[in-house]
Amino acid sequence: MDGETLQSLNLSSSGYGHKSLRQLSFTTSMGRSFEAGPGGIDDLLQPPVAESQICGFHAWINADRFVNAFALCCTENAPFMVNFNNFVSSYCTYQNGVVLVNGQPTISITKQTHLPFVKQRVLKISPSMNDGLCMFNGAAVLKFSIFGDGTWEAHFGKDGKGSAAGFIPALWIKDELVRNEALVRKYAPIQMLNNDEVYWQTNVDDFLSHMIVETVDNGQPQPFDEKPLNRYALAEAAAALGKRNTNSTARLRTRAELNEPSDTQDWMTGLGTSACQPERSGSEISWTEEIYKVMMAAHGDTPVFDPNDCEFYGSQVLAHFANGDHEIYPHAGIYDRAMGANDLCKPNPYEFDQRLGNNIEIYRWDEDAQDFMDPPEGNYLAYKDPSWIRYRGRNWQRGSLMGLVARLERGPKGLFRPGQYLTPQRRT
């Protein structure tokens, strides 16, 4: 219909065979929708098509007549959008291509023309520490963020290329504890989760309510504390376990049998962190920053990666979670494991941006004492009591499906595949 534009487009491929097209769906500005292909999600691609119009399409066919690939041809006249995030207490806003700090125009965002970038549109953000050019396709969203160390950054994520960054001296926060909270958000990783999994984000309070504490002697588990768990009860259990508070002699176990709705197979979140430590020297006229290492922690292992071996959106590292969310890798792909199993990180994952969460929890670590520090005195709500994370056991699923749990983790090479699930909804 004349004037009707696209609002969303979803493309999903099959996990079988040669990755043929599984499903196509889109919605329009008239409230109408179209869907073709079987339900469920193997992976998901969502091109930035909002407010554009369909001009045509192109398809590629396999020898077996399955659709190998599919593309919609859309207009490039949709306006770019800005997702503005202010992580400081100062009054910062975005209006019509200008970022205002305490009411003063500080940063400009302008469209660029006649640049030698053939397939992408370009924005110039200035003043910036680099060329300030960010390229994008379609109706991509520019994420612009301001932080308590006086810095800002902007990028389009997977829907574009390039990033811009700069320093605003007036926004420097002198209180180190408050500034650290802003830096936690600055370097919060983006978790890349497989779309056909059901390990979507929950929180630790929901998680613990399903668990009980066990001890393990000679491979045989025994209940240690079966009362309902929360952070305080787990802290008490960690203290009571004493020397048995280890990865091999203590564990959290689900109350339900394997594959029941409340089992970890359905709701356990991946536990992972990314540590990016900047080296900086700053003044009112200059600022340099470098991320010199990235740590991804899982199962108590803390492998350290060179930033050149990782993927970033601006200063946020992309942490690719394997099927099961139990391991983290710097790139999508298939990784070998013990017992002939494989870890799978899919190339078109669901993104969970930890920077945008409502709550940030900070636990300070004392390198000399090799222990967590108590929260500071004063009105620092993000700094939490670490007693509950002094538990050193591991998480455990109850039971084993035909003794073949490892084979369930084989990814595309295995005899078993996860069931198909609806598109996940973002959790707050």
Side-chain angles (χ1 to χ4, degrees), residues 373-386:
M373 301 167 62
D374 292 332
E377 296 181 357
N379 190 28
Y380 300 104
L381 300 181
Y383 292 82
K384 303 297 184 181
D385 185 342

Side-chain angles (χ1 to χ4, degrees), residues 48-64:
V49 298
E51 304 304 330
S52 65
Q53 293 180 302
I54 299 176
C55 301
F57 64 90
H58 192 89
W60 294 259
I61 307 298
N62 282 332
D64 57 7

Side-chain angles (χ1 to χ4, degrees), residues 22-62:
R22 177 183 180 88
Q23 188 182 72
L24 161 71
S25 66
F26 60 80
T27 61
T28 76
S29 58
M30 299 293 186
R32 297 192 289 184
S33 61
F34 174 86
E35 182 176 302
I41 295 295
D42 279 315
D43 62 2
L44 186 64
L45 188 63
Q46 297 177 303
V49 298
E51 304 304 330
S52 65
Q53 293 180 302
I54 299 176
C55 301
F57 64 90
H58 192 89
W60 294 259
I61 307 298
N62 282 332

Side-chain angles (χ1 to χ4, degrees), residues 16-21 59-69:
Y16 296 96
H18 297 283
K19 297 292 184 182
S20 57
L21 178 69
W60 294 259
I61 307 298
N62 282 332
D64 57 7
R65 310 306 295 171
F66 282 91
V67 179
N68 175 261

Side-chain angles (χ1 to χ4, degrees), residues 8-326:
S8 66
L9 171 64
N10 297 321
L11 299 167
S12 178
S13 66
S14 172
Y16 296 96
H18 297 283
K19 297 292 184 182
S20 57
L21 178 69
R22 177 183 180 88
Q23 188 182 72
L24 161 71
S25 66
F26 60 80
T27 61
T28 76
S29 58
M30 299 293 186
R32 297 192 289 184
S33 61
F34 174 86
E35 182 176 302
I41 295 295
D42 279 315
D43 62 2
L44 186 64
L45 188 63
Q46 297 177 303
V49 298
E51 304 304 330
S52 65
Q53 293 180 302
I54 299 176
C55 301
F57 64 90
H58 192 89
W60 294 259
I61 307 298
N62 282 332
D64 57 7
R65 310 306 295 171
F66 282 91
V67 179
N68 175 261
F70 187 89
L72 285 180
C73 300
C74 302
T75 58
E76 278 274 69
N77 55 359
F80 73 90
M81 295 172 281
V82 176
N83 178 4
F84 186 78
N85 301 287
N86 178 24
F87 298 118
V88 297
S89 58
S90 300
Y91 183 67
C92 305
T93 59
Y94 169 80
Q95 298 177 10
N96 301 321
V98 177
V99 175
L100 297 98
V101 176
N102 295 324
Q104 298 299 313
T106 305
I107 300 166
S108 65
I109 303 175
T110 57
K111 293 182 180 179
Q112 300 294 293
T113 57
H114 309 298
L115 291 176
F117 301 105
V118 178
K119 295 184 179 180
Q120 292 184 305
R121 296 190 285 172
V122 183
L123 297 181
K124 182 172 181 61
I125 306 173
S126 59
S128 174
M129 291 188 295
N130 52 17
D131 60 18
L133 296 179
C134 294
M135 294 153 279
F136 67 105
N137 288 314
V141 177
L142 180 73
K143 185 163 72 171
F144 194 104
S145 303
I146 296 179
F147 306 100
D149 61 348
T151 62
W152 60 267
E153 72 170 21
H155 62 78
F156 281 106
K158 67 182 178 182
D159 295 322
K161 295 180 180 179
S163 64
F167 177 50
I168 307 173
L171 296 183
W172 172 263
I173 296 176
K174 294 182 178 180
D175 188 320
E176 182 180 2
L177 294 174
V178 177
R179 189 170 66 246
N180 283 344
E181 180 179 351
L183 289 174
V184 167
R185 286 195 184 272
K186 180 176 181 177
Y187 295 108
I190 297 177
Q191 295 185 355
M192 315 294 279
L193 303 166
N194 290 336
N195 283 91
D196 60 356
E197 300 276 357
V198 286
Y199 301 83
W200 307 117
Q201 296 294 323
T202 178
N203 59 57
V204 70
D205 300 295
D206 290 339
F207 171 77
L208 289 177
S209 68
H210 294 275
M211 309 299 283
I212 62 174
V213 178
E214 288 187 334
T215 55
V216 182
D217 295 306
N218 299 319
Q220 299 299 315
Q222 300 290 333
F224 178 78
D225 189 345
E226 296 193 69
K227 67 183 180 184
L229 272 185
N230 54 33
R231 300 185 189 210
Y232 307 106
L234 185 59
E236 293 175 357
L241 282 166
K243 294 183 178 180
R244 307 183 75 188
N245 184 21
T246 70
N247 192 50
S248 59
T249 56
R251 69 185 192 183
L252 295 181
R253 175 180 64 73
T254 56
R255 295 178 180 275
E257 294 289 348
L258 183 64
N259 296 327
E260 289 295 320
S262 63
D263 187 79
T264 54
Q265 294 291 313
D266 274 342
W267 49 258
M268 178 181 172
T269 183
L271 305 176
T273 61
S274 164
C276 305
Q277 176 63 50
E279 291 180 337
R280 58 165 66 94
S281 61
S283 70
E284 291 190 357
I285 57 175
S286 66
W287 182 270
T288 60
E289 181 172 358
E290 179 184 1
I291 297 173
Y292 68 87
K293 67 178 180 180
V294 175
M295 181 180 71
M296 298 186 182
H299 295 315
D301 298 326
T302 54
V304 176
F305 298 90
D306 187 290
N308 295 322
D309 297 328
C310 300
E311 300 174 54
F312 285 86
Y313 291 163
S315 58
Q316 288 182 276
V317 71
L318 308 187
H320 291 266
F321 279 64
N323 44 303
D325 290 357
H326 53 82

